[in-house]
Amino acid sequence: MPRILIVGGGYAGFYTAWRLEKHLRKGEAEVTMVDPLPYMTYQPFLPEVAAGEIEARHVVVGHRRHLKRTSIVTAKVTKIDHARKVATITPPLGDPWEHEYDQIVVTAGAVSRTFPIPGIADNAIGLKSIEEAVAIRDRILANFDRAANLPAGPERDRLLTVVVVGGGFAGIEVFAELRELASSLVKQYPSISFEDTHFHLIEAMGRIMPEVSQKTSEWVLKFLAQRGAFVHLDTQVQGAIDGNVELSTGETIPTDLIVWTAGVMANPTVVRGGDLPVEERGRIRTRADLRVGTEEEAVEGAWAAGDVSAVPDLSGGGVGGYCVPNAQHAVRQSKVLAKNLVAVLRGELPKQYVHKNLGAVAGLGLYNGVFQSGNIALKGFLAWSAHRGYHGMAMPSWERKWRVIGDWWLNFWLGRDNVSLITVQKPRYVFEEFAARPRPPQPVAEEAPAVSPAAEKTPAAAAK
């Protein structure tokens, strides 16, 4: 039986396995998927998780619950030796082992791309995982609690200041959502006013959201300014030591929360730990039919899709001739990949991946959004409705769809659940504080030395 190994369980990996289960006949192939996490995260919903509009568990899709015929391995693939068709799997506990395969599908995704800026690695947080989104939400809520007990001053201002780095779709969405969250929190804290909260977005380019038109981008800037948010264009971050964000303009912004959304890069652990061909930007070189290789020659038995791959964009709309790394392409590529893989196993020819970008849609907080498709641009409530409608339907499985829709419905009537669970990051703090501990061993008292009867005589008696 052919052995298929899927490296990565994100968008592309999960959807590839999901589709293979539908297309493969019983006993036609053995599918194994390896990922260090036991779930797929629907990343377009992370800004709403950070803003408390969706429950965190509802935007992740459990591998074992939804993949019934796929062997799930919760571990990392640390090396791919395709010449031998062997992958090294490294679990969290125990020794690594080698896994033999006949077909490999590399869908390891991307990670946050940072620069060697002093303080960023120690003080900033990304927005690529559900854990990061939850941490951002809890940090803002906890900072409001702390700031409410402080008098006006530098420390209070620092707690109520948020800095987002990166003006792409992810940065703008989380920036607008957090601004909306802070505005709603002010109503619950009498000692904190709207003017006490400060939101800054730093963008190195001269505009935000390059996926939309210049006119639409300018409308978003105006929208954010009306809500008291500051956008710094043509500005770079030069330092972030101790939370003091130093800008190329000479300005310094003290903050307790720095969200980094300034780009992504292909998963370096998988890309560098293998012998598959890589292009100049560090992605696996992939053909239009999603086989690894060049237009002239394919690497037999190797496939790739999603953010880790450089797939030619045959529609002509891609940056540099390649598909942009987003969820829209990852999901559609994985569906074509699954069909092509099954076709190759059955001795048929694979088809090329062709998909014209349907457009870009972003949420800007409750009841506001922006949508761009060609020359058509929607703003405000209509765009926000399109955003929720599109992503609500794109969420895998009806079980997950209903959970997300349920969150939206309950929040419409009951409002956000603005409770910080930041102590979850250290769940044993109460137990440790009050737990009884063994008493430290006490030093043993030294006994007085024994004295002989002769030594007990007084000097006077001894002299007689």
Side-chain angles (χ1 to χ4, degrees):
M1 186 185 299
R3 296 160 297 182
I4 301 172
L5 175 63
I6 302 175
V7 181
Y11 289 117
F14 175 83
Y15 272 96
T16 298
W18 209 21
R19 289 289 174 166
L20 284 174
E21 290 191 349
K22 295 179 180 180
H23 298 316
L24 287 171
R25 294 188 285 264
K26 186 176 182 181
E28 190 172 8
E30 176 186 288
V31 182
T32 301
M33 188 174 75
V34 182
D35 192 277
L37 297 174
Y39 52 79
M40 182 211 91
T41 302
Y42 191 75
Q43 294 180 355
F45 281 148
L46 292 183
E48 292 193 52
V49 172
E53 294 176 17
I54 302 178
E55 166 60 32
R57 291 180 184 270
H58 295 170
V59 304
V60 298
V61 183
H63 291 157
R64 298 180 188 275
R65 175 167 184 171
H66 294 277
L67 298 175
K68 304 298 186 182
R69 295 165 50 196
T70 302
S71 297
I72 306 298
V73 179
T74 306
K76 290 183 178 181
V77 171
T78 52
K79 183 179 179 181
I80 298 173
D81 187 351
H82 191 67
R84 297 169 49 221
K85 289 195 173 181
V86 169
T88 301
I89 298 178
T90 304
L93 296 174
D95 298 327
W97 73 88
E98 290 189 338
H99 180 94
E100 296 181 350
Y101 61 83
D102 299 295
Q103 303 280 339
I104 189 169
V105 180
V106 184
T107 55
V111 299
S112 296
R113 175 173 59 91
T114 58
F115 306 100
I117 300 172
I120 287 295
D122 299 322
N123 297 294
I125 185 171
L127 191 66
K128 290 291 292 178
S129 69
I130 191 67
E131 294 84 0
E132 290 173 325
V134 172
I136 291 170
R137 172 183 179 271
D138 287 343
R139 175 67 65 87
I140 287 185
L141 296 174
N143 282 355
F144 264 76
D145 289 334
R146 296 164 181 162
N149 298 325
L150 296 176
E155 181 60 20
R156 190 170 185 261
D157 289 340
R158 186 181 69 85
L159 292 172
L160 298 176
T161 299
V162 175
V163 173
V164 176
V165 184
F169 256 67
I172 291 296
E173 282 193 293
V174 72
F175 186 63
E177 291 284 0
L178 294 181
R179 172 69 273 184
E180 184 81 16
L181 170 62
S183 298
S184 68
L185 289 175
V186 165
K187 303 172 186 177
Q188 302 173 16
Y189 292 84
S191 62
I192 299 176
S193 66
F194 178 87
E195 291 72 20
D196 293 331
T197 61
H198 312 285
F199 282 74
H200 298 266
L201 184 135
I202 317 300
E203 171 53 47
M205 296 175 60
R207 59 165 294 182
I208 60 172
M209 304 175 76
E211 300 90 344
V212 302
S213 67
Q214 181 70 33
K215 184 177 180 180
T216 304
S217 172
E218 291 172 355
W219 180 87
V220 175
L221 286 174
K222 186 181 297 185
F223 171 86
L224 294 172
Q226 291 172 349
R227 279 150 181 77
F230 301 92
V231 178
H232 305 256
L233 298 178
D234 293 315
T235 306
Q236 294 85 38
V237 175
Q238 296 185 332
I241 297 175
D242 296 330
N244 295 308
V245 180
E246 301 174 7
L247 306 181
S248 57
T249 58
E251 184 181 0
T252 299
I253 305 174
T255 178
D256 193 57
L257 178 58
I258 305 169
V259 182
W260 183 273
T261 64
V264 297
M265 64 179 180
N267 190 321
T269 302
V270 173
V271 172
R272 298 171 187 170
D275 56 357
L276 296 175
V278 178
E279 49 94 59
E280 57 274 5
R281 294 188 61 185
R283 298 174 297 179
I284 294 176
R285 192 176 296 279
T286 310
R287 294 157 50 97
D289 60 10
L290 302 173
R291 288 184 291 181
V292 174
T294 63
E295 185 177 346
E296 295 76 22
E297 184 180 3
V299 177
E300 190 273 329
W303 307 75
D307 295 356
V308 77
S309 63
V311 180
D313 190 342
L314 300 184
S315 71
V319 178
Y322 295 101
C323 296
V324 296
N326 62 19
Q328 188 178 138
H329 279 301
V331 171
R332 285 169 171 79
Q333 286 171 7
S334 62
K335 294 178 181 179
V336 175
L337 191 157
K339 289 183 178 180
N340 283 351
L341 181 48
V342 173
V344 169
L345 292 179
R346 295 173 181 172
E348 303 169 3
L349 293 177
K351 297 181 180 180
Q352 293 185 326
Y353 170 75
V354 182
H355 172 69
K356 185 173 178 58
N357 199 324
L358 298 177
V361 60
L364 302 175
L366 284 175
Y367 313 123
N368 283 289
V370 60
F371 169 80
Q372 182 86 45
S373 180
N375 295 325
I376 301 175
L378 299 178
K379 309 176 187 71
F381 180 78
L382 283 178
W384 175 82
S385 300
H387 171 266
R388 286 205 163 179
Y390 173 78
H391 287 298
M393 292 307 298
M395 186 72 185
S397 85
W398 279 103
E399 179 259 337
R400 293 285 104 178
K401 286 180 173 64
W402 283 121
R403 290 184 188 274
V404 171
I405 293 171
D407 288 340
W408 288 337
W409 178 252
L410 291 175
N411 283 351
F412 177 79
W413 296 104
L414 305 177
R416 304 171 195 257
D417 188 0
N418 293 330
V419 177
S420 171
L421 295 179
I422 196 169
T423 51
V424 168
Q425 299 170 32
K426 191 180 179 183
R428 296 182 64 252
Y429 77 102
V430 174
F431 184 84
E432 289 178 344
E433 182 178 355
F434 297 103
R437 292 178 170 83
R439 290 184 179 181
Q442 301 296 321
V444 179
E446 296 182 1
E447 297 181 0
V451 181
S452 63
E456 291 179 352
K457 294 181 179 180
T458 61
K464 288 182 180 178

